[in-house]
Amino acid sequence: MPDAAFRQLGGGSVAYLRRVSSDDVIAAHPGYLDLRPGMKLWALHSADGQPIMLTDSREAAIANAAEADLTPMMVH
């Protein structure tokens, strides 16, 4: 699906919450974040895949989505 189509999904009101490994984040963004290997984190992304936040707490990610008037959806 093209990025433009993803941006229209949810009308800007949906964010995607996904469990990620710090190893995957480090591999995708080398040198960008100072993370310990082996951590289990939560990533919150907009519908078009833009990262919104990265945290070690699911509750913090959900709270951040709510503060931004976004409905969090789980992605597996």
Coordinates of all heavy atoms in Angstrom, one line a residue:
M1 N 0.9 -1.2 0.0 CA 0.0 0.0 0.0 C 0.9 1.2 0.0 O 1.8 1.3 0.8 CB -0.9 0.0 1.2 CG -1.9 1.1 1.3 SD -2.9 1.0 2.8 CE -4.2 -0.1 2.2
P2 N 0.6 2.2 -0.8 CA 1.4 3.4 -0.9 C 1.3 4.2 0.5 O 0.3 4.2 1.2 CB 0.8 4.2 -2.0 CG 0.0 3.3 -2.8 CD -0.4 2.2 -1.8
D3 N 2.4 5.0 0.8 CA 2.4 5.8 2.0 C 1.2 6.7 2.1 O 0.6 6.9 3.2 CB 3.7 6.6 2.1 CG 4.9 5.8 2.5 OD1 4.7 4.6 2.9 OD2 6.0 6.3 2.3
A4 N 0.8 7.3 1.0 CA -0.3 8.2 1.0 C -1.6 7.5 1.4 O -2.4 8.1 2.2 CB -0.6 8.8 -0.4
A5 N -1.8 6.3 1.1 CA -3.0 5.5 1.5 C -2.9 5.2 3.0 O -3.9 5.3 3.7 CB -3.1 4.2 0.7
F6 N -1.7 4.9 3.5 CA -1.5 4.7 5.0 C -1.9 5.9 5.7 O -2.5 5.9 6.8 CB -0.1 4.2 5.3 CG 0.1 2.7 5.2 CD1 0.9 2.2 4.2 CD2 -0.6 1.9 6.0 CE1 1.0 0.9 4.0 CE2 -0.4 0.5 5.9 CZ 0.4 0.0 4.9
R7 N -1.4 7.1 5.2 CA -1.7 8.4 6.0 C -3.2 8.6 6.1 O -3.6 9.3 7.0 CB -1.0 9.5 5.2 CG 0.5 9.5 5.5 CD 1.1 10.8 5.0 NE 1.2 10.9 3.6 CZ 2.2 10.4 2.8 NH1 3.2 9.8 3.4 NH2 2.2 10.5 1.5
Q8 N -3.9 8.1 5.2 CA -5.4 8.4 5.2 C -6.1 7.4 6.1 O -7.2 7.7 6.6 CB -6.0 8.3 3.8 CG -5.5 9.4 2.9 CD -6.0 9.3 1.5 OE1 -6.7 8.4 1.1 NE2 -5.7 10.3 0.7
L9 N -5.5 6.3 6.4 CA -6.1 5.3 7.3 C -6.3 5.9 8.7 O -5.4 6.5 9.3 CB -5.3 4.0 7.5 CG -5.2 3.1 6.3 CD1 -4.2 2.0 6.5 CD2 -6.5 2.6 5.9
G10 N -7.5 5.8 9.2 CA -7.8 6.3 10.5 C -8.0 7.8 10.6 O -8.2 8.3 11.7
G11 N -7.9 8.5 9.5 CA -8.1 9.9 9.4 C -7.2 10.7 10.4 O -7.6 11.7 10.9
G12 N -6.0 10.2 10.6 CA -5.0 10.9 11.5 C -5.4 10.7 13.0 O -4.8 11.3 13.8
S13 N -6.3 9.7 13.3 CA -6.7 9.5 14.6 C -6.2 8.2 15.2 O -6.5 7.8 16.3 CB -8.2 9.6 14.8 OG -8.8 8.6 14.0
V14 N -5.4 7.4 14.4 CA -5.0 6.1 14.8 C -3.5 6.1 14.9 O -2.8 6.6 14.1 CB -5.5 5.0 13.8 CG1 -4.9 3.6 14.2 CG2 -7.0 4.9 13.8
A15 N -3.0 5.4 16.0 CA -1.5 5.2 16.1 C -1.4 3.7 16.3 O -2.2 3.0 16.9 CB -1.0 5.9 17.3
Y16 N -0.2 3.2 15.9 CA 0.0 1.7 16.0 C 1.1 1.5 17.1 O 2.1 2.1 17.1 CB 0.5 1.2 14.7 CG -0.6 1.3 13.7 CD1 -0.7 2.4 12.8 CD2 -1.6 0.4 13.6 CE1 -1.7 2.6 11.9 CE2 -2.7 0.5 12.7 CZ -2.7 1.6 11.9 OH -3.8 1.8 11.0
L17 N 0.7 0.5 18.0 CA 1.6 0.2 19.1 C 2.1 -1.2 18.8 O 1.4 -2.2 18.5 CB 0.7 0.2 20.4 CG 1.4 -0.2 21.7 CD1 2.5 0.9 22.0 CD2 0.3 -0.2 22.8
R18 N 3.5 -1.4 19.0 CA 4.1 -2.6 18.7 C 5.2 -2.9 19.6 O 6.0 -2.0 20.0 CB 4.6 -2.6 17.2 CG 5.2 -3.9 16.8 CD 5.6 -3.8 15.3 NE 6.8 -3.0 15.2 CZ 7.8 -3.3 14.4 NH1 7.7 -4.3 13.5 NH2 8.9 -2.6 14.3
R19 N 5.3 -4.2 20.1 CA 6.5 -4.6 20.9 C 7.7 -4.7 20.0 O 7.6 -5.4 18.9 CB 6.1 -5.9 21.5 CG 7.1 -6.4 22.6 CD 6.8 -5.7 23.9 NE 7.4 -6.5 24.9 CZ 7.7 -6.0 26.1 NH1 7.4 -4.8 26.4 NH2 8.3 -6.8 27.0
V20 N 8.8 -4.2 20.4 CA 10.1 -4.3 19.6 C 11.2 -4.6 20.5 O 11.2 -4.4 21.7 CB 10.4 -2.9 18.9 CG1 9.3 -2.6 17.8 CG2 10.5 -1.8 19.8
S21 N 12.3 -5.1 19.9 CA 13.5 -5.4 20.7 C 14.5 -4.2 20.4 O 14.6 -3.6 19.4 CB 14.1 -6.7 20.1 OG 15.5 -6.8 20.5
S22 N 15.2 -3.9 21.5 CA 16.2 -2.8 21.3 C 17.3 -3.2 20.3 O 17.8 -2.3 19.6 CB 16.9 -2.5 22.6 OG 17.6 -3.6 23.1
D23 N 17.5 -4.5 20.1 CA 18.4 -5.0 19.0 C 17.9 -4.5 17.7 O 18.7 -4.1 16.8 CB 18.6 -6.5 19.1 CG 19.1 -7.0 20.4 OD1 20.0 -6.2 21.0 OD2 18.8 -8.1 20.9
D24 N 16.6 -4.7 17.4 CA 16.1 -4.3 16.1 C 16.1 -2.7 15.9 O 16.4 -2.3 14.8 CB 14.6 -4.7 16.0 CG 14.5 -6.2 15.9 OD1 15.4 -6.9 15.5 OD2 13.4 -6.7 16.3
V25 N 15.9 -2.0 17.0 CA 16.0 -0.5 16.9 C 17.4 -0.1 16.6 O 17.7 0.8 15.8 CB 15.4 0.1 18.2 CG1 15.6 1.6 18.2 CG2 14.0 -0.2 18.4
I26 N 18.4 -0.7 17.4 CA 19.8 -0.4 17.2 C 20.2 -0.7 15.7 O 20.9 0.1 15.1 CB 20.7 -1.1 18.2 CG1 20.4 -0.6 19.6 CG2 22.1 -1.0 17.8 CD1 20.9 -1.5 20.7
A27 N 19.8 -1.8 15.2 CA 20.1 -2.2 13.8 C 19.5 -1.3 12.8 O 20.1 -0.9 11.8 CB 19.6 -3.6 13.5
A28 N 18.3 -0.8 13.1 CA 17.6 0.1 12.1 C 18.1 1.5 12.2 O 18.1 2.3 11.2 CB 16.1 0.1 12.4
H29 N 18.6 1.9 13.4 CA 19.1 3.3 13.6 C 20.4 3.3 14.3 O 20.5 3.8 15.4 CB 18.1 4.1 14.4 CG 16.7 4.0 13.8 ND1 16.3 4.8 12.8 CD2 15.6 3.3 14.2 CE1 15.1 4.5 12.5 NE2 14.6 3.6 13.3
P30 N 21.5 2.8 13.7 CA 22.8 2.7 14.4 C 23.3 4.0 14.8 O 23.3 5.0 14.0 CB 23.7 2.0 13.3 CG 23.0 2.2 12.0 CD 21.6 2.3 12.3
G31 N 23.7 4.1 16.1 CA 24.3 5.3 16.6 C 23.3 6.4 16.9 O 23.7 7.4 17.5
Y32 N 22.0 6.2 16.7 CA 21.0 7.2 16.9 C 20.6 7.2 18.4 O 20.4 8.3 19.0 CB 19.9 7.0 15.9 CG 18.8 8.1 16.0 CD1 19.1 9.4 15.6 CD2 17.6 7.8 16.6 CE1 18.1 10.4 15.7 CE2 16.6 8.8 16.7 CZ 16.9 10.1 16.2 OH 15.9 11.0 16.3
L33 N 20.3 6.0 18.9 CA 19.8 5.9 20.3 C 20.8 5.1 21.1 O 21.4 4.2 20.7 CB 18.5 5.2 20.3 CG 17.3 5.9 19.6 CD1 16.1 5.0 19.5 CD2 17.0 7.2 20.3
D34 N 20.9 5.5 22.4 CA 21.8 4.8 23.3 C 20.9 3.8 24.1 O 20.4 4.1 25.1 CB 22.4 5.8 24.3 CG 23.4 5.2 25.2 OD1 23.9 4.1 24.9 OD2 23.7 5.8 26.3
L35 N 20.8 2.6 23.5 CA 20.0 1.5 24.1 C 20.9 0.3 24.5 O 21.8 0.0 23.8 CB 18.9 1.1 23.2 CG 17.9 2.1 22.8 CD1 17.0 1.6 21.7 CD2 17.1 2.5 24.0
R36 N 20.5 -0.4 25.5 CA 21.2 -1.6 25.9 C 20.6 -2.7 25.0 O 19.4 -2.8 24.7 CB 20.9 -2.0 27.3 CG 21.6 -1.2 28.4 CD 21.4 -1.7 29.8 NE 20.2 -2.5 30.0 CZ 19.0 -2.0 30.5 NH1 18.9 -0.7 30.8 NH2 18.0 -2.7 30.7
P37 N 21.4 -3.6 24.5 CA 21.0 -4.7 23.7 C 20.1 -5.6 24.6 O 20.2 -5.7 25.8 CB 22.2 -5.5 23.3 CG 23.3 -4.5 23.4 CD 22.9 -3.5 24.5
G38 N 19.1 -6.3 24.0 CA 18.2 -7.2 24.6 C 17.0 -6.6 25.4 O 16.3 -7.4 26.0
M39 N 16.8 -5.4 25.3 CA 15.7 -4.7 25.9 C 14.4 -5.0 25.1 O 14.4 -5.0 23.9 CB 15.8 -3.2 26.1 CG 17.0 -2.8 27.0 SD 17.2 -1.0 26.9 CE 15.7 -0.4 27.7
K40 N 13.3 -5.2 25.8 CA 12.0 -5.2 25.2 C 11.3 -3.9 25.4 O 11.2 -3.4 26.5 CB 11.1 -6.3 25.9 CG 11.7 -7.7 25.7 CD 11.7 -8.1 24.2 CE 12.3 -9.5 24.0 NZ 12.6 -9.8 22.7
L41 N 10.9 -3.3 24.2 CA 10.4 -1.9 24.2 C 9.0 -1.9 23.5 O 8.6 -2.8 22.9 CB 11.4 -1.0 23.5 CG 12.8 -1.0 24.1 CD1 13.7 -0.2 23.1 CD2 12.8 -0.3 25.4
W42 N 8.4 -0.7 23.6 CA 7.1 -0.5 22.9 C 7.3 0.7 22.0 O 7.9 1.7 22.4 CB 6.0 -0.2 23.9 CG 5.6 -1.3 24.7 CD1 6.0 -1.7 25.9 CD2 4.7 -2.4 24.3 NE1 5.5 -2.9 26.3 CE2 4.6 -3.3 25.3 CE3 3.9 -2.6 23.2 CZ2 3.8 -4.4 25.3 CZ3 3.1 -3.7 23.1 CH2 3.1 -4.6 24.1
A43 N 6.9 0.5 20.7 CA 7.1 1.6 19.8 C 5.7 2.1 19.4 O 4.8 1.2 19.1 CB 7.8 1.1 18.5
L44 N 5.5 3.4 19.3 CA 4.2 4.0 18.8 C 4.5 4.7 17.5 O 5.4 5.5 17.5 CB 3.7 4.9 19.9 CG 2.3 5.5 19.7 CD1 1.2 4.5 19.8 CD2 2.1 6.6 20.7
H45 N 3.7 4.3 16.5 CA 3.9 4.9 15.2 C 2.6 5.5 14.6 O 1.5 5.0 15.0 CB 4.4 3.8 14.2 CG 5.7 3.3 14.5 ND1 6.8 3.7 13.9 CD2 6.1 2.2 15.3 CE1 7.9 3.1 14.3 NE2 7.4 2.1 15.1
S46 N 2.7 6.5 13.8 CA 1.5 7.0 13.1 C 1.2 6.0 12.0 O 1.9 5.0 11.7 CB 1.8 8.4 12.5 OG 2.9 8.2 11.5
A47 N 0.0 6.2 11.4 CA -0.5 5.2 10.4 C 0.5 5.1 9.2 O 0.6 4.0 8.6 CB -1.8 5.7 9.9
D48 N 1.3 6.1 8.9 CA 2.2 6.0 7.8 C 3.6 5.5 8.2 O 4.5 5.5 7.4 CB 2.3 7.4 7.0 CG 3.0 8.4 7.9 OD1 3.2 8.2 9.1 OD2 3.2 9.5 7.3
G49 N 3.7 5.1 9.4 CA 4.9 4.4 9.9 C 5.9 5.4 10.6 O 7.0 5.0 11.0
Q50 N 5.6 6.7 10.6 CA 6.5 7.6 11.3 C 6.5 7.3 12.8 O 5.5 7.2 13.4 CB 6.0 9.0 11.1 CG 6.1 9.5 9.7 CD 7.6 9.5 9.2 OE1 8.5 10.0 9.9 NE2 7.8 9.0 8.0
P51 N 7.7 7.2 13.4 CA 7.8 6.9 14.8 C 7.3 8.1 15.6 O 7.6 9.3 15.3 CB 9.3 6.7 15.1 CG 10.0 7.1 13.8 CD 9.0 7.2 12.7
I52 N 6.6 7.8 16.7 CA 6.1 8.8 17.6 C 6.8 8.8 18.9 O 7.3 9.8 19.4 CB 4.6 8.7 17.8 CG1 3.8 8.9 16.5 CG2 4.1 9.6 18.9 CD1 2.3 8.6 16.6
M53 N 7.0 7.5 19.4 CA 7.7 7.4 20.6 C 8.2 6.0 20.8 O 7.7 5.0 20.2 CB 6.9 7.8 21.9 CG 5.9 6.8 22.3 SD 5.1 7.2 23.9 CE 6.4 7.4 25.1
L54 N 9.2 5.8 21.7 CA 9.8 4.5 22.0 C 9.9 4.5 23.5 O 10.5 5.5 24.1 CB 11.2 4.3 21.4 CG 11.9 3.0 21.5 CD1 11.1 1.9 20.8 CD2 13.3 3.1 21.0
T55 N 9.4 3.5 24.2 CA 9.4 3.4 25.6 C 9.5 2.0 26.1 O 9.2 1.1 25.4 CB 8.1 4.1 26.2 OG1 8.1 4.1 27.6 CG2 6.8 3.4 25.7
D56 N 9.8 1.8 27.4 CA 9.8 0.5 28.0 C 8.5 0.1 28.6 O 8.3 -0.9 29.2 CB 11.0 0.3 28.9 CG 10.9 1.2 30.1 OD1 10.1 2.1 30.1 OD2 11.7 1.1 31.1
S57 N 7.5 1.0 28.5 CA 6.3 0.9 29.2 C 5.1 0.9 28.2 O 4.9 2.0 27.5 CB 6.1 1.9 30.3 OG 4.8 2.1 30.7
R58 N 4.3 -0.1 28.1 CA 3.1 -0.1 27.3 C 2.2 1.0 27.7 O 1.6 1.7 26.9 CB 2.5 -1.5 27.3 CG 1.2 -1.6 26.5 CD 0.7 -3.1 26.6 NE -0.5 -3.2 25.8 CZ -1.8 -3.1 26.2 NH1 -2.0 -2.8 27.4 NH2 -2.8 -3.3 25.3
E59 N 2.0 1.1 29.0 CA 1.1 2.1 29.6 C 1.5 3.6 29.1 O 0.7 4.4 28.8 CB 1.0 2.0 31.1 CG 0.4 0.8 31.6 CD 1.3 -0.5 31.5 OE1 2.5 -0.3 31.4 OE2 0.7 -1.6 31.5
A60 N 2.8 3.8 29.1 CA 3.3 5.1 28.7 C 3.0 5.4 27.2 O 2.6 6.5 26.9 CB 4.8 5.3 29.0
A61 N 3.2 4.4 26.4 CA 2.8 4.5 25.0 C 1.4 4.8 24.8 O 1.0 5.7 24.0 CB 3.3 3.3 24.2
I62 N 0.5 4.1 25.5 CA -0.9 4.3 25.4 C -1.3 5.7 25.9 O -2.1 6.4 25.3 CB -1.7 3.2 26.1 CG1 -1.5 1.9 25.4 CG2 -3.2 3.5 26.3 CD1 -2.0 0.6 26.1
A63 N -0.7 6.1 27.0 CA -1.0 7.4 27.6 C -0.6 8.5 26.6 O -1.3 9.5 26.4 CB -0.3 7.6 28.9
N64 N 0.6 8.3 25.9 CA 1.1 9.3 24.9 C 0.1 9.4 23.8 O -0.2 10.5 23.3 CB 2.5 9.0 24.5 CG 3.1 10.0 23.6 OD1 2.8 10.0 22.4 ND2 3.8 10.9 24.1
A65 N -0.4 8.3 23.3 CA -1.4 8.3 22.2 C -2.6 9.0 22.7 O -3.2 9.8 21.9 CB -1.7 6.8 21.8
A66 N -3.1 8.7 23.9 CA -4.3 9.4 24.4 C -4.1 10.9 24.5 O -5.0 11.7 24.1 CB -4.7 8.8 25.7
E67 N -2.9 11.4 24.9 CA -2.7 12.8 25.0 C -2.7 13.5 23.7 O -3.0 14.7 23.6 CB -1.3 13.0 25.7 CG -1.3 12.7 27.2 CD 0.1 12.8 27.8 OE1 1.0 13.4 27.1 OE2 0.2 12.4 28.9
A68 N -2.3 12.7 22.6 CA -2.3 13.3 21.3 C -3.6 13.0 20.5 O -3.7 13.2 19.3 CB -1.1 12.7 20.5
D69 N -4.7 12.6 21.3 CA -6.0 12.3 20.7 C -5.9 11.2 19.6 O -6.6 11.3 18.6 CB -6.7 13.5 20.2 CG -7.1 14.5 21.3 OD1 -7.4 14.0 22.4 OD2 -7.0 15.7 21.0
L70 N -5.0 10.2 19.9 CA -4.9 9.1 18.9 C -5.4 7.8 19.6 O -5.3 7.6 20.8 CB -3.4 8.9 18.6 CG -2.7 10.0 17.9 CD1 -1.2 9.8 17.8 CD2 -3.3 10.2 16.5
T71 N -6.0 6.9 18.8 CA -6.5 5.6 19.3 C -5.4 4.6 19.0 O -5.0 4.4 17.8 CB -7.8 5.2 18.6 OG1 -8.8 6.2 18.8 CG2 -8.3 3.9 19.0
P72 N -4.8 4.0 20.0 CA -3.7 3.0 19.8 C -4.3 1.7 19.3 O -5.3 1.2 19.9 CB -3.0 2.9 21.1 CG -4.1 3.3 22.1 CD -5.0 4.3 21.4
M73 N -3.7 1.1 18.3 CA -4.0 -0.2 17.8 C -2.8 -1.1 17.9 O -1.7 -0.6 17.6 CB -4.5 -0.1 16.3 CG -5.6 0.9 16.1 SD -7.1 0.5 16.9 CE -7.7 -0.8 15.8
M74 N -3.0 -2.3 18.3 CA -1.9 -3.2 18.5 C -1.5 -3.8 17.1 O -2.4 -4.2 16.3 CB -2.2 -4.4 19.4 CG -2.3 -4.0 20.9 SD -0.7 -3.4 21.6 CE 0.3 -4.9 21.4
V75 N -0.2 -3.9 16.8 CA 0.3 -4.5 15.6 C 1.2 -5.7 16.1 O 2.0 -5.5 17.0 CB 1.2 -3.5 14.8 CG1 1.8 -4.2 13.6 CG2 0.3 -2.4 14.4
H76 N 1.0 -6.8 15.5 CA 1.8 -8.0 15.9 C 2.9 -8.2 14.9 O 2.9 -8.0 13.8 CB 0.9 -9.2 15.9 CG -0.2 -9.1 16.9 ND1 0.0 -9.2 18.3 CD2 -1.5 -8.7 16.7 CE1 -1.2 -9.0 18.9 NE2 -2.1 -8.7 18.0

